[in-house]
Amino acid sequence: MAIYSTSIGVSWGGVTFSEITGLSWTYGGENVGRSANFRPQPGSVSVTAFGTVPNIGVVGNRGTLTITGGGMNLTQTAALASVSAVAELNGVTRYSVEFTLLDN
């Protein structure tokens, strides 16, 4: 049965995202070294929103990324890779935020 992507919540580094319009994440990757459990970059997360997102001053910082709802649940240490903004004339500004998941 399909899972509706409603009531999705995202928080990272003390910031709770608002007006989320899109979310995707990928988890997986190759094991590296002798340990079968070590993945230096196990995945990525992309979030688009109209409202509150982390500011560019914290790009590169790491924190706990928590995603809830809509069948998208994920809690993982993540580094903020980028924040971008696109504005429409007489419209709204859309923010895109990219995270790199980190091996706990």
PDB file of all heavy atoms in Angstrom, residues 7-48:
ATOM      1  N   SER A   7       3.055  15.340   6.394  1.00  0.00           N
ATOM      2  CA  SER A   7       3.564  15.569   7.757  1.00  0.00           C
ATOM      3  C   SER A   7       5.032  15.225   7.895  1.00  0.00           C
ATOM      4  O   SER A   7       5.469  14.671   8.897  1.00  0.00           O
ATOM      5  CB  SER A   7       2.742  14.781   8.775  1.00  0.00           C
ATOM      6  OG  SER A   7       1.393  15.158   8.711  1.00  0.00           O
ATOM      7  N   ILE A   8       5.829  15.559   6.889  1.00  0.00           N
ATOM      8  CA  ILE A   8       7.269  15.307   6.958  1.00  0.00           C
ATOM      9  C   ILE A   8       7.935  16.423   7.748  1.00  0.00           C
ATOM     10  O   ILE A   8       7.677  17.597   7.514  1.00  0.00           O
ATOM     11  CB  ILE A   8       7.879  15.193   5.551  1.00  0.00           C
ATOM     12  CG1 ILE A   8       7.363  13.924   4.870  1.00  0.00           C
ATOM     13  CG2 ILE A   8       9.402  15.193   5.613  1.00  0.00           C
ATOM     14  CD1 ILE A   8       7.830  13.750   3.445  1.00  0.00           C
ATOM     15  N   GLY A   9       8.785  16.024   8.683  1.00  0.00           N
ATOM     16  CA  GLY A   9       9.544  16.975   9.482  1.00  0.00           C
ATOM     17  C   GLY A   9      11.034  16.726   9.310  1.00  0.00           C
ATOM     18  O   GLY A   9      11.468  15.582   9.199  1.00  0.00           O
ATOM     19  N   VAL A  10      11.817  17.808   9.269  1.00  0.00           N
ATOM     20  CA  VAL A  10      13.272  17.708   9.143  1.00  0.00           C
ATOM     21  C   VAL A  10      13.899  18.673  10.138  1.00  0.00           C
ATOM     22  O   VAL A  10      13.494  19.833  10.232  1.00  0.00           O
ATOM     23  CB  VAL A  10      13.749  18.063   7.714  1.00  0.00           C
ATOM     24  CG1 VAL A  10      15.271  18.032   7.629  1.00  0.00           C
ATOM     25  CG2 VAL A  10      13.138  17.141   6.681  1.00  0.00           C
ATOM     26  N   SER A  11      14.909  18.196  10.868  1.00  0.00           N
ATOM     27  CA  SER A  11      15.687  19.085  11.733  1.00  0.00           C
ATOM     28  C   SER A  11      17.157  18.683  11.658  1.00  0.00           C
ATOM     29  O   SER A  11      17.493  17.517  11.423  1.00  0.00           O
ATOM     30  CB  SER A  11      15.186  19.033  13.175  1.00  0.00           C
ATOM     31  OG  SER A  11      15.392  17.752  13.728  1.00  0.00           O
ATOM     32  N   TRP A  12      18.006  19.691  11.830  1.00  0.00           N
ATOM     33  CA  TRP A  12      19.453  19.471  11.823  1.00  0.00           C
ATOM     34  C   TRP A  12      20.102  20.652  12.522  1.00  0.00           C
ATOM     35  O   TRP A  12      19.751  21.809  12.257  1.00  0.00           O
ATOM     36  CB  TRP A  12      19.992  19.371  10.395  1.00  0.00           C
ATOM     37  CG  TRP A  12      21.477  19.267  10.329  1.00  0.00           C
ATOM     38  CD1 TRP A  12      22.215  18.117  10.393  1.00  0.00           C
ATOM     39  CD2 TRP A  12      22.416  20.322  10.218  1.00  0.00           C
ATOM     40  NE1 TRP A  12      23.554  18.413  10.334  1.00  0.00           N
ATOM     41  CE2 TRP A  12      23.700  19.771  10.224  1.00  0.00           C
ATOM     42  CE3 TRP A  12      22.297  21.708  10.129  1.00  0.00           C
ATOM     43  CZ2 TRP A  12      24.863  20.539  10.139  1.00  0.00           C
ATOM     44  CZ3 TRP A  12      23.442  22.478  10.047  1.00  0.00           C
ATOM     45  CH2 TRP A  12      24.709  21.891  10.041  1.00  0.00           C
ATOM     46  N   GLY A  13      21.054  20.365  13.392  1.00  0.00           N
ATOM     47  CA  GLY A  13      21.829  21.427  14.040  1.00  0.00           C
ATOM     48  C   GLY A  13      20.988  22.449  14.780  1.00  0.00           C
ATOM     49  O   GLY A  13      21.328  23.631  14.789  1.00  0.00           O
ATOM     50  N   GLY A  14      19.889  22.021  15.374  1.00  0.00           N
ATOM     51  CA  GLY A  14      19.037  22.934  16.114  1.00  0.00           C
ATOM     52  C   GLY A  14      18.060  23.718  15.251  1.00  0.00           C
ATOM     53  O   GLY A  14      17.315  24.548  15.755  1.00  0.00           O
ATOM     54  N   VAL A  15      18.068  23.488  13.947  1.00  0.00           N
ATOM     55  CA  VAL A  15      17.156  24.169  13.027  1.00  0.00           C
ATOM     56  C   VAL A  15      16.060  23.204  12.600  1.00  0.00           C
ATOM     57  O   VAL A  15      16.351  22.108  12.121  1.00  0.00           O
ATOM     58  CB  VAL A  15      17.908  24.688  11.776  1.00  0.00           C
ATOM     59  CG1 VAL A  15      16.946  25.301  10.784  1.00  0.00           C
ATOM     60  CG2 VAL A  15      18.994  25.672  12.171  1.00  0.00           C
ATOM     61  N   THR A  16      14.822  23.620  12.763  1.00  0.00           N
ATOM     62  CA  THR A  16      13.686  22.844  12.276  1.00  0.00           C
ATOM     63  C   THR A  16      13.223  23.476  10.974  1.00  0.00           C
ATOM     64  O   THR A  16      12.856  24.657  10.940  1.00  0.00           O
ATOM     65  CB  THR A  16      12.542  22.845  13.302  1.00  0.00           C
ATOM     66  OG1 THR A  16      13.027  22.254  14.517  1.00  0.00           O
ATOM     67  CG2 THR A  16      11.357  22.039  12.798  1.00  0.00           C
ATOM     68  N   PHE A  17      13.284  22.718   9.896  1.00  0.00           N
ATOM     69  CA  PHE A  17      12.900  23.221   8.583  1.00  0.00           C
ATOM     70  C   PHE A  17      11.397  23.493   8.567  1.00  0.00           C
ATOM     71  O   PHE A  17      10.623  22.787   9.207  1.00  0.00           O
ATOM     72  CB  PHE A  17      13.210  22.189   7.500  1.00  0.00           C
ATOM     73  CG  PHE A  17      14.670  21.988   7.228  1.00  0.00           C
ATOM     74  CD1 PHE A  17      15.575  21.718   8.240  1.00  0.00           C
ATOM     75  CD2 PHE A  17      15.149  22.042   5.936  1.00  0.00           C
ATOM     76  CE1 PHE A  17      16.914  21.513   7.987  1.00  0.00           C
ATOM     77  CE2 PHE A  17      16.494  21.832   5.657  1.00  0.00           C
ATOM     78  CZ  PHE A  17      17.382  21.572   6.689  1.00  0.00           C
ATOM     79  N   SER A  18      10.989  24.493   7.790  1.00  0.00           N
ATOM     80  CA  SER A  18       9.557  24.759   7.656  1.00  0.00           C
ATOM     81  C   SER A  18       9.174  24.847   6.184  1.00  0.00           C
ATOM     82  O   SER A  18      10.006  25.128   5.326  1.00  0.00           O
ATOM     83  CB  SER A  18       9.171  26.048   8.383  1.00  0.00           C
ATOM     84  OG  SER A  18       9.788  27.169   7.792  1.00  0.00           O
ATOM     85  N   GLU A  19       7.928  24.590   5.916  1.00  0.00           N
ATOM     86  CA  GLU A  19       7.362  24.626   4.563  1.00  0.00           C
ATOM     87  C   GLU A  19       8.157  23.764   3.576  1.00  0.00           C
ATOM     88  O   GLU A  19       8.533  24.189   2.503  1.00  0.00           O
ATOM     89  CB  GLU A  19       7.251  26.061   4.060  1.00  0.00           C
ATOM     90  CG  GLU A  19       6.328  26.915   4.914  1.00  0.00           C
ATOM     91  CD  GLU A  19       6.162  28.302   4.352  1.00  0.00           C
ATOM     92  OE1 GLU A  19       5.550  28.405   3.273  1.00  0.00           O
ATOM     93  OE2 GLU A  19       6.635  29.251   4.985  1.00  0.00           O
ATOM     94  N   ILE A  20       8.387  22.513   3.961  1.00  0.00           N
ATOM     95  CA  ILE A  20       9.125  21.561   3.130  1.00  0.00           C
ATOM     96  C   ILE A  20       8.288  21.207   1.909  1.00  0.00           C
ATOM     97  O   ILE A  20       7.119  20.874   2.020  1.00  0.00           O
ATOM     98  CB  ILE A  20       9.472  20.295   3.935  1.00  0.00           C
ATOM     99  CG1 ILE A  20      10.391  20.659   5.099  1.00  0.00           C
ATOM    100  CG2 ILE A  20      10.097  19.226   3.042  1.00  0.00           C
ATOM    101  CD1 ILE A  20      10.523  19.582   6.136  1.00  0.00           C
ATOM    102  N   THR A  21       8.913  21.291   0.743  1.00  0.00           N
ATOM    103  CA  THR A  21       8.205  20.968  -0.498  1.00  0.00           C
ATOM    104  C   THR A  21       8.772  19.740  -1.199  1.00  0.00           C
ATOM    105  O   THR A  21       8.147  19.205  -2.108  1.00  0.00           O
ATOM    106  CB  THR A  21       8.241  22.152  -1.484  1.00  0.00           C
ATOM    107  OG1 THR A  21       9.610  22.451  -1.806  1.00  0.00           O
ATOM    108  CG2 THR A  21       7.577  23.373  -0.880  1.00  0.00           C
ATOM    109  N   GLY A  22       9.948  19.297  -0.802  1.00  0.00           N
ATOM    110  CA  GLY A  22      10.546  18.120  -1.415  1.00  0.00           C
ATOM    111  C   GLY A  22      11.629  17.539  -0.527  1.00  0.00           C
ATOM    112  O   GLY A  22      12.290  18.253   0.214  1.00  0.00           O
ATOM    113  N   LEU A  23      11.786  16.221  -0.613  1.00  0.00           N
ATOM    114  CA  LEU A  23      12.786  15.531   0.199  1.00  0.00           C
ATOM    115  C   LEU A  23      13.174  14.234  -0.495  1.00  0.00           C
ATOM    116  O   LEU A  23      12.307  13.495  -0.964  1.00  0.00           O
ATOM    117  CB  LEU A  23      12.209  15.220   1.585  1.00  0.00           C
ATOM    118  CG  LEU A  23      13.034  14.324   2.505  1.00  0.00           C
ATOM    119  CD1 LEU A  23      14.304  15.030   2.944  1.00  0.00           C
ATOM    120  CD2 LEU A  23      12.220  13.920   3.715  1.00  0.00           C
ATOM    121  N   SER A  24      14.456  13.994  -0.575  1.00  0.00           N
ATOM    122  CA  SER A  24      14.920  12.687  -1.066  1.00  0.00           C
ATOM    123  C   SER A  24      16.183  12.324  -0.303  1.00  0.00           C
ATOM    124  O   SER A  24      16.952  13.191   0.111  1.00  0.00           O
ATOM    125  CB  SER A  24      15.197  12.725  -2.575  1.00  0.00           C
ATOM    126  OG  SER A  24      16.274  13.588  -2.865  1.00  0.00           O
ATOM    127  N   TRP A  25      16.367  11.026  -0.078  1.00  0.00           N
ATOM    128  CA  TRP A  25      17.607  10.564   0.528  1.00  0.00           C
ATOM    129  C   TRP A  25      18.012   9.231  -0.055  1.00  0.00           C
ATOM    130  O   TRP A  25      17.206   8.473  -0.551  1.00  0.00           O
ATOM    131  CB  TRP A  25      17.557  10.536   2.046  1.00  0.00           C
ATOM    132  CG  TRP A  25      16.527   9.706   2.745  1.00  0.00           C
ATOM    133  CD1 TRP A  25      15.352  10.140   3.259  1.00  0.00           C
ATOM    134  CD2 TRP A  25      16.599   8.297   3.066  1.00  0.00           C
ATOM    135  NE1 TRP A  25      14.683   9.112   3.870  1.00  0.00           N
ATOM    136  CE2 TRP A  25      15.425   7.965   3.765  1.00  0.00           C
ATOM    137  CE3 TRP A  25      17.531   7.301   2.823  1.00  0.00           C
ATOM    138  CZ2 TRP A  25      15.172   6.684   4.238  1.00  0.00           C
ATOM    139  CZ3 TRP A  25      17.273   6.025   3.289  1.00  0.00           C
ATOM    140  CH2 TRP A  25      16.106   5.735   3.988  1.00  0.00           C
ATOM    141  N   THR A  26      19.323   9.011  -0.017  1.00  0.00           N
ATOM    142  CA  THR A  26      19.932   7.776  -0.490  1.00  0.00           C
ATOM    143  C   THR A  26      20.865   7.284   0.596  1.00  0.00           C
ATOM    144  O   THR A  26      21.642   8.068   1.143  1.00  0.00           O
ATOM    145  CB  THR A  26      20.754   8.030  -1.774  1.00  0.00           C
ATOM    146  OG1 THR A  26      19.896   8.584  -2.759  1.00  0.00           O
ATOM    147  CG2 THR A  26      21.381   6.757  -2.284  1.00  0.00           C
ATOM    148  N   TYR A  27      20.786   6.006   0.913  1.00  0.00           N
ATOM    149  CA  TYR A  27      21.679   5.428   1.914  1.00  0.00           C
ATOM    150  C   TYR A  27      22.266   4.149   1.348  1.00  0.00           C
ATOM    151  O   TYR A  27      21.567   3.327   0.786  1.00  0.00           O
ATOM    152  CB  TYR A  27      20.926   5.114   3.215  1.00  0.00           C
ATOM    153  CG  TYR A  27      21.847   4.709   4.326  1.00  0.00           C
ATOM    154  CD1 TYR A  27      22.397   5.660   5.164  1.00  0.00           C
ATOM    155  CD2 TYR A  27      22.189   3.381   4.520  1.00  0.00           C
ATOM    156  CE1 TYR A  27      23.265   5.297   6.177  1.00  0.00           C
ATOM    157  CE2 TYR A  27      23.056   3.005   5.526  1.00  0.00           C
ATOM    158  CZ  TYR A  27      23.588   3.969   6.358  1.00  0.00           C
ATOM    159  OH  TYR A  27      24.454   3.607   7.347  1.00  0.00           O
ATOM    160  N   GLY A  28      23.546   4.000   1.508  1.00  0.00           N
ATOM    161  CA  GLY A  28      24.240   2.811   1.020  1.00  0.00           C
ATOM    162  C   GLY A  28      25.626   3.189   0.572  1.00  0.00           C
ATOM    163  O   GLY A  28      26.078   4.301   0.768  1.00  0.00           O
ATOM    164  N   GLY A  29      26.305   2.303  -0.034  1.00  0.00           N
ATOM    165  CA  GLY A  29      27.655   2.589  -0.497  1.00  0.00           C
ATOM    166  C   GLY A  29      28.586   1.440  -0.191  1.00  0.00           C
ATOM    167  O   GLY A  29      28.238   0.493   0.499  1.00  0.00           O
ATOM    168  N   GLU A  30      29.769   1.564  -0.712  1.00  0.00           N
ATOM    169  CA  GLU A  30      30.761   0.506  -0.546  1.00  0.00           C
ATOM    170  C   GLU A  30      31.399   0.542   0.827  1.00  0.00           C
ATOM    171  O   GLU A  30      31.626   1.602   1.391  1.00  0.00           O
ATOM    172  CB  GLU A  30      31.856   0.664  -1.597  1.00  0.00           C
ATOM    173  CG  GLU A  30      31.381   0.421  -3.009  1.00  0.00           C
ATOM    174  CD  GLU A  30      32.528   0.489  -3.995  1.00  0.00           C
ATOM    175  OE1 GLU A  30      33.656   0.095  -3.638  1.00  0.00           O
ATOM    176  OE2 GLU A  30      32.286   0.941  -5.107  1.00  0.00           O
ATOM    177  N   ASN A  31      31.691  -0.632   1.350  1.00  0.00           N
ATOM    178  CA  ASN A  31      32.484  -0.730   2.564  1.00  0.00           C
ATOM    179  C   ASN A  31      33.933  -0.476   2.206  1.00  0.00           C
ATOM    180  O   ASN A  31      34.400  -0.844   1.132  1.00  0.00           O
ATOM    181  CB  ASN A  31      32.341  -2.117   3.193  1.00  0.00           C
ATOM    182  CG  ASN A  31      30.947  -2.368   3.703  1.00  0.00           C
ATOM    183  OD1 ASN A  31      30.291  -1.458   4.182  1.00  0.00           O
ATOM    184  ND2 ASN A  31      30.486  -3.590   3.593  1.00  0.00           N
ATOM    185  N   VAL A  32      34.640   0.159   3.135  1.00  0.00           N
ATOM    186  CA  VAL A  32      36.035   0.514   2.884  1.00  0.00           C
ATOM    187  C   VAL A  32      36.909  -0.073   3.983  1.00  0.00           C
ATOM    188  O   VAL A  32      36.542  -0.070   5.149  1.00  0.00           O
ATOM    189  CB  VAL A  32      36.198   2.049   2.858  1.00  0.00           C
ATOM    190  CG1 VAL A  32      37.645   2.433   2.663  1.00  0.00           C
ATOM    191  CG2 VAL A  32      35.354   2.643   1.744  1.00  0.00           C
ATOM    192  N   GLY A  33      38.070  -0.526   3.622  1.00  0.00           N
ATOM    193  CA  GLY A  33      39.024  -1.012   4.610  1.00  0.00           C
ATOM    194  C   GLY A  33      38.693  -2.400   5.112  1.00  0.00           C
ATOM    195  O   GLY A  33      37.950  -3.154   4.503  1.00  0.00           O
ATOM    196  N   ARG A  34      39.222  -2.718   6.258  1.00  0.00           N
ATOM    197  CA  ARG A  34      39.063  -4.056   6.810  1.00  0.00           C
ATOM    198  C   ARG A  34      37.709  -4.268   7.472  1.00  0.00           C
ATOM    199  O   ARG A  34      37.246  -5.369   7.604  1.00  0.00           O
ATOM    200  CB  ARG A  34      40.162  -4.318   7.836  1.00  0.00           C
ATOM    201  CG  ARG A  34      41.509  -4.312   7.191  1.00  0.00           C
ATOM    202  CD  ARG A  34      42.576  -4.568   8.208  1.00  0.00           C
ATOM    203  NE  ARG A  34      43.646  -5.249   7.505  1.00  0.00           N
ATOM    204  CZ  ARG A  34      44.325  -6.243   7.976  1.00  0.00           C
ATOM    205  NH1 ARG A  34      44.103  -6.679   9.176  1.00  0.00           N
ATOM    206  NH2 ARG A  34      45.261  -6.802   7.266  1.00  0.00           N
ATOM    207  N   SER A  35      37.113  -3.195   7.931  1.00  0.00           N
ATOM    208  CA  SER A  35      35.836  -3.326   8.624  1.00  0.00           C
ATOM    209  C   SER A  35      34.695  -3.335   7.617  1.00  0.00           C
ATOM    210  O   SER A  35      34.576  -2.459   6.785  1.00  0.00           O
ATOM    211  CB  SER A  35      35.632  -2.167   9.601  1.00  0.00           C
ATOM    212  OG  SER A  35      34.328  -2.195  10.107  1.00  0.00           O
ATOM    213  N   ALA A  36      33.853  -4.322   7.702  1.00  0.00           N
ATOM    214  CA  ALA A  36      32.708  -4.418   6.791  1.00  0.00           C
ATOM    215  C   ALA A  36      31.638  -3.393   7.141  1.00  0.00           C
ATOM    216  O   ALA A  36      30.676  -3.239   6.420  1.00  0.00           O
ATOM    217  CB  ALA A  36      32.124  -5.818   6.839  1.00  0.00           C
ATOM    218  N   ASN A  37      31.801  -2.680   8.268  1.00  0.00           N
ATOM    219  CA  ASN A  37      30.790  -1.719   8.698  1.00  0.00           C
ATOM    220  C   ASN A  37      31.204  -0.267   8.501  1.00  0.00           C
ATOM    221  O   ASN A  37      30.515   0.633   8.937  1.00  0.00           O
ATOM    222  CB  ASN A  37      30.459  -1.934  10.175  1.00  0.00           C
ATOM    223  CG  ASN A  37      29.834  -3.289  10.391  1.00  0.00           C
ATOM    224  OD1 ASN A  37      29.053  -3.748   9.578  1.00  0.00           O
ATOM    225  ND2 ASN A  37      30.196  -3.934  11.475  1.00  0.00           N
ATOM    226  N   PHE A  38      32.339   0.009   7.852  1.00  0.00           N
ATOM    227  CA  PHE A  38      32.804   1.381   7.688  1.00  0.00           C
ATOM    228  C   PHE A  38      32.488   1.892   6.296  1.00  0.00           C
ATOM    229  O   PHE A  38      32.937   1.363   5.300  1.00  0.00           O
ATOM    230  CB  PHE A  38      34.306   1.485   7.959  1.00  0.00           C
ATOM    231  CG  PHE A  38      34.833   2.872   7.752  1.00  0.00           C
ATOM    232  CD1 PHE A  38      34.448   3.898   8.586  1.00  0.00           C
ATOM    233  CD2 PHE A  38      35.705   3.153   6.711  1.00  0.00           C
ATOM    234  CE1 PHE A  38      34.919   5.186   8.398  1.00  0.00           C
ATOM    235  CE2 PHE A  38      36.184   4.427   6.514  1.00  0.00           C
ATOM    236  CZ  PHE A  38      35.796   5.445   7.359  1.00  0.00           C
ATOM    237  N   ARG A  39      31.673   2.918   6.243  1.00  0.00           N
ATOM    238  CA  ARG A  39      31.346   3.604   4.990  1.00  0.00           C
ATOM    239  C   ARG A  39      31.638   5.083   5.216  1.00  0.00           C
ATOM    240  O   ARG A  39      30.903   5.741   5.944  1.00  0.00           O
ATOM    241  CB  ARG A  39      29.875   3.421   4.643  1.00  0.00           C
ATOM    242  CG  ARG A  39      29.503   2.020   4.265  1.00  0.00           C
ATOM    243  CD  ARG A  39      27.996   1.959   3.945  1.00  0.00           C
ATOM    244  NE  ARG A  39      27.607   0.625   3.568  1.00  0.00           N
ATOM    245  CZ  ARG A  39      27.157  -0.298   4.412  1.00  0.00           C
ATOM    246  NH1 ARG A  39      27.044  -0.023   5.679  1.00  0.00           N
ATOM    247  NH2 ARG A  39      26.837  -1.492   3.977  1.00  0.00           N
ATOM    248  N   PRO A  40      32.667   5.646   4.612  1.00  0.00           N
ATOM    249  CA  PRO A  40      33.016   7.042   4.875  1.00  0.00           C
ATOM    250  C   PRO A  40      31.933   8.026   4.424  1.00  0.00           C
ATOM    251  O   PRO A  40      31.772   9.075   5.016  1.00  0.00           O
ATOM    252  CB  PRO A  40      34.311   7.255   4.116  1.00  0.00           C
ATOM    253  CG  PRO A  40      34.383   6.143   3.139  1.00  0.00           C
ATOM    254  CD  PRO A  40      33.611   5.009   3.703  1.00  0.00           C
ATOM    255  N   GLN A  41      31.206   7.710   3.374  1.00  0.00           N
ATOM    256  CA  GLN A  41      30.094   8.547   2.923  1.00  0.00           C
ATOM    257  C   GLN A  41      28.922   7.639   2.547  1.00  0.00           C
ATOM    258  O   GLN A  41      28.765   7.265   1.387  1.00  0.00           O
ATOM    259  CB  GLN A  41      30.503   9.404   1.735  1.00  0.00           C
ATOM    260  CG  GLN A  41      31.508  10.466   2.103  1.00  0.00           C
ATOM    261  CD  GLN A  41      31.798  11.383   0.924  1.00  0.00           C
ATOM    262  OE1 GLN A  41      31.458  11.102  -0.210  1.00  0.00           O
ATOM    263  NE2 GLN A  41      32.435  12.484   1.215  1.00  0.00           N
ATOM    264  N   PRO A  42      28.106   7.284   3.534  1.00  0.00           N
ATOM    265  CA  PRO A  42      27.066   6.300   3.271  1.00  0.00           C
ATOM    266  C   PRO A  42      25.857   6.809   2.483  1.00  0.00           C
ATOM    267  O   PRO A  42      24.998   6.025   2.122  1.00  0.00           O
ATOM    268  CB  PRO A  42      26.639   5.852   4.664  1.00  0.00           C
ATOM    269  CG  PRO A  42      26.988   6.979   5.550  1.00  0.00           C
ATOM    270  CD  PRO A  42      28.203   7.617   4.949  1.00  0.00           C
ATOM    271  N   GLY A  43      25.781   8.102   2.199  1.00  0.00           N
ATOM    272  CA  GLY A  43      24.644   8.574   1.425  1.00  0.00           C
ATOM    273  C   GLY A  43      24.495  10.074   1.444  1.00  0.00           C
ATOM    274  O   GLY A  43      25.379  10.803   1.891  1.00  0.00           O
ATOM    275  N   SER A  44      23.353  10.536   0.948  1.00  0.00           N
ATOM    276  CA  SER A  44      23.093  11.971   0.877  1.00  0.00           C
ATOM    277  C   SER A  44      21.608  12.246   1.056  1.00  0.00           C
ATOM    278  O   SER A  44      20.771  11.364   0.883  1.00  0.00           O
ATOM    279  CB  SER A  44      23.569  12.524  -0.466  1.00  0.00           C
ATOM    280  OG  SER A  44      22.863  11.908  -1.520  1.00  0.00           O
ATOM    281  N   VAL A  45      21.309  13.496   1.400  1.00  0.00           N
ATOM    282  CA  VAL A  45      19.935  13.940   1.593  1.00  0.00           C
ATOM    283  C   VAL A  45      19.772  15.282   0.891  1.00  0.00           C
ATOM    284  O   VAL A  45      20.651  16.141   0.964  1.00  0.00           O
ATOM    285  CB  VAL A  45      19.593  14.102   3.095  1.00  0.00           C
ATOM    286  CG1 VAL A  45      18.199  14.684   3.292  1.00  0.00           C
ATOM    287  CG2 VAL A  45      19.718  12.776   3.826  1.00  0.00           C
ATOM    288  N   SER A  46      18.645  15.458   0.228  1.00  0.00           N
ATOM    289  CA  SER A  46      18.312  16.711  -0.428  1.00  0.00           C
ATOM    290  C   SER A  46      16.948  17.172   0.063  1.00  0.00           C
ATOM    291  O   SER A  46      15.994  16.390   0.058  1.00  0.00           O
ATOM    292  CB  SER A  46      18.290  16.505  -1.947  1.00  0.00           C
ATOM    293  OG  SER A  46      17.931  17.701  -2.599  1.00  0.00           O
ATOM    294  N   VAL A  47      16.872  18.441   0.499  1.00  0.00           N
ATOM    295  CA  VAL A  47      15.619  18.994   1.012  1.00  0.00           C
ATOM    296  C   VAL A  47      15.346  20.310   0.291  1.00  0.00           C
ATOM    297  O   VAL A  47      16.248  21.130   0.133  1.00  0.00           O
ATOM    298  CB  VAL A  47      15.698  19.272   2.534  1.00  0.00           C
ATOM    299  CG1 VAL A  47      14.372  19.798   3.059  1.00  0.00           C
ATOM    300  CG2 VAL A  47      16.129  18.049   3.303  1.00  0.00           C
ATOM    301  N   THR A  48      14.112  20.515  -0.135  1.00  0.00           N
ATOM    302  CA  THR A  48      13.695  21.812  -0.658  1.00  0.00           C
ATOM    303  C   THR A  48      12.577  22.347   0.231  1.00  0.00           C
ATOM    304  O   THR A  48      11.746  21.585   0.728  1.00  0.00           O
ATOM    305  CB  THR A  48      13.212  21.737  -2.123  1.00  0.00           C
ATOM    306  OG1 THR A  48      12.171  20.782  -2.226  1.00  0.00           O
ATOM    307  CG2 THR A  48      14.339  21.363  -3.052  1.00  0.00           C
TER     308      THR A  48
END
